[in-house]
Amino acid sequence: MPVLDEEAFRTEVRGWLAASLAGDFAPLVGSGGPGREHEFVPERMAWERLLGESGWIGLGWPEADGGRGLPWGHEVIFYEEYARAGAPARVGHIGEQLLGPTLLMFGTAEQRARFLPGILAGTELWCQGYSEPGAGSDLAAVSTRARLEAGEWHLDGQKVWTSLAQFADWCFVLARTDPAAERHRGLSYLLVPVRQPGVEVRPIVQLTGTSEFNEVFFDDARAAAADIVGAPGDGWRVAMGTLAVERGVSTLGQQLGFQREFEAVLATARATGAIDDPDIGARIVEAWAGLEVMRYTALATLGRSAGDAGTEPNVNKLIWAQWHQRLGELAVDVSGAAATLAGPGYELDNAQRLFLYTRADTIYGGSNEIQRNVIAERGLGLPREPR
Ligand SMILES: Cc1cc2nc3c(=O)[nH]c(=O)nc-3n(C[C@H](O)[C@H](O)[C@H](O)COP(=O)(O)OP(=O)(O)OC[C@H]3O[C@@H](n4cnc5c(N)ncnc54)[C@H](O)[C@@H]3O)c2cc1C
């Protein structure tokens, strides 16, 4: 199919979103974000399938693999319009943004044929099983074990902080398949069905009172022998490939989300009179300037492939995580004393949710300290920290 020019494409996306976020899906507008993961889950799953049926998943994937082969500029437009319309938080983004691109890079033809269609149709949801109680920043310390026996992988161990595992059908798991090999070398990247007797998912209640992430226990859980991405022992390279694509073109959608949050903070500051406080005024100006800088940085970075980016993604993560956390603090400060009280049943308003959820921004996707280490060692050639 001929590719529409960007403005025509924007009009098409905007029109589709306006028409589709109506009727049964109208209540989904603005739903499901951080601290609101529990909202409209079956409806958001149906929304995911509608996105799939309508060709809005895998926009940039090759046509040979079921995608639409669109240029990245079109993907950016989709994410911008998605955020602008207040369309619901995705439940399928881990499959689309992490596993799909990983299979496109490292998967066999059979794996791409088996797993990409479910992601594209929005019918199979994924979660990311990397972190463990003893392996977060130091991911190579993963101790979940897997052994190949009678044509199946058998897994034992525990993952933690596994986002959306409670809704997922599948988990991509970093597991130790060769305990004798050196740390990074003994790992493999396995595709494990979540809904089976050997897997138990226990949601963790977070500061927001809701559960985005979970503990996941494997007790002789099974995966098919063929469901390994890369060779046995090659899991570290594949896992790093997944991390390199994390965020990608959805960054500009994220920026628009930030802008909406900023506008809400500004509106509250006006409504409560907090805007007359010179200290608050200065913080609002600083937040606005930061938003502009992030937007231009994201635009400048997007065209480059993950491999060319050097430490740019680390710098960006460090900057937006700190900016967003400060915005969360500003959100409750402009609300005044009301922000210190939750509603009945620990009901939170948007400012309180933003404040509490943004405490996690400087941890997930690599903590601030880890970003600084990477920038120092790989970017600036400073001495390596003692290991
Ligand atoms: C909201 C959220 C969602 C998440 N979703 C997922 C998910 O879906 N799947 C998944 O696998 N994981 C997920 N994570 C886990 C996340 O990747 C880890 O929390 C993160 O990698 C940090 O690991 P940790 O929690 O074990 O902390 P640790 O690594 O134990 O770190 C504790 C503290 O020590 C510091 N520290 C550690 N090492 C160093 C060092 N070398 N130098 C200086 N300081 C250091 C850290 O910066 C941190 O402040 C999620 C986390 C959050 C908060």
Side-chain angles (χ1 to χ4, degrees), residues 65 182 314 333 364:
D65 287 295
E182 202 202 325
N314 308 91
D333 285 344
Y364 67 82

PDB file of all heavy atoms in Angstrom, residues 65 182 314 333 364:
ATOM      1  N   ASP A  65       6.914  -9.401   8.143  1.00  0.00           N
ATOM      2  CA  ASP A  65       6.621  -9.969   9.464  1.00  0.00           C
ATOM      3  C   ASP A  65       5.253  -9.527   9.979  1.00  0.00           C
ATOM      4  O   ASP A  65       4.979  -9.622  11.178  1.00  0.00           O
ATOM      5  CB  ASP A  65       7.716  -9.563  10.460  1.00  0.00           C
ATOM      6  CG  ASP A  65       9.008 -10.319  10.196  1.00  0.00           C
ATOM      7  OD1 ASP A  65       9.011 -11.544  10.350  1.00  0.00           O
ATOM      8  OD2 ASP A  65      10.002  -9.672   9.808  1.00  0.00           O
ATOM      9  N   GLU A 182      30.765 -18.619  33.413  1.00  0.00           N
ATOM     10  CA  GLU A 182      30.951 -17.301  34.024  1.00  0.00           C
ATOM     11  C   GLU A 182      29.629 -16.525  33.953  1.00  0.00           C
ATOM     12  O   GLU A 182      28.842 -16.724  33.012  1.00  0.00           O
ATOM     13  CB  GLU A 182      32.029 -16.578  33.208  1.00  0.00           C
ATOM     14  CG  GLU A 182      32.722 -15.475  33.928  1.00  0.00           C
ATOM     15  CD  GLU A 182      33.332 -14.526  32.907  1.00  0.00           C
ATOM     16  OE1 GLU A 182      33.784 -15.009  31.838  1.00  0.00           O
ATOM     17  OE2 GLU A 182      33.317 -13.317  33.175  1.00  0.00           O
ATOM     18  N   ASN A 314      21.085   6.990  28.065  1.00  0.00           N
ATOM     19  CA  ASN A 314      21.326   7.069  29.512  1.00  0.00           C
ATOM     20  C   ASN A 314      21.156   8.503  29.989  1.00  0.00           C
ATOM     21  O   ASN A 314      20.574   8.754  31.045  1.00  0.00           O
ATOM     22  CB  ASN A 314      22.727   6.567  29.848  1.00  0.00           C
ATOM     23  CG  ASN A 314      22.998   5.204  29.253  1.00  0.00           C
ATOM     24  OD1 ASN A 314      23.501   5.100  28.133  1.00  0.00           O
ATOM     25  ND2 ASN A 314      22.620   4.165  29.951  1.00  0.00           N
ATOM     26  N   ASP A 333       2.667  20.034  45.860  1.00  0.00           N
ATOM     27  CA  ASP A 333       2.903  21.336  46.510  1.00  0.00           C
ATOM     28  C   ASP A 333       1.868  22.375  46.064  1.00  0.00           C
ATOM     29  O   ASP A 333       1.424  23.184  46.874  1.00  0.00           O
ATOM     30  CB  ASP A 333       4.327  21.839  46.219  1.00  0.00           C
ATOM     31  CG  ASP A 333       5.360  21.065  47.039  1.00  0.00           C
ATOM     32  OD1 ASP A 333       4.949  20.389  48.011  1.00  0.00           O
ATOM     33  OD2 ASP A 333       6.558  21.117  46.704  1.00  0.00           O
ATOM     34  N   TYR A 364      13.284   2.306  37.855  1.00  0.00           N
ATOM     35  CA  TYR A 364      13.072   1.322  36.779  1.00  0.00           C
ATOM     36  C   TYR A 364      13.800   1.747  35.497  1.00  0.00           C
ATOM     37  O   TYR A 364      14.136   2.916  35.331  1.00  0.00           O
ATOM     38  CB  TYR A 364      11.585   1.060  36.520  1.00  0.00           C
ATOM     39  CG  TYR A 364      10.795   2.218  35.959  1.00  0.00           C
ATOM     40  CD1 TYR A 364      10.811   2.519  34.600  1.00  0.00           C
ATOM     41  CD2 TYR A 364       9.985   2.997  36.786  1.00  0.00           C
ATOM     42  CE1 TYR A 364      10.069   3.561  34.083  1.00  0.00           C
ATOM     43  CE2 TYR A 364       9.244   4.037  36.282  1.00  0.00           C
ATOM     44  CZ  TYR A 364       9.288   4.315  34.919  1.00  0.00           C
ATOM     45  OH  TYR A 364       8.557   5.349  34.434  1.00  0.00           O
TER      46      TYR A 364
END
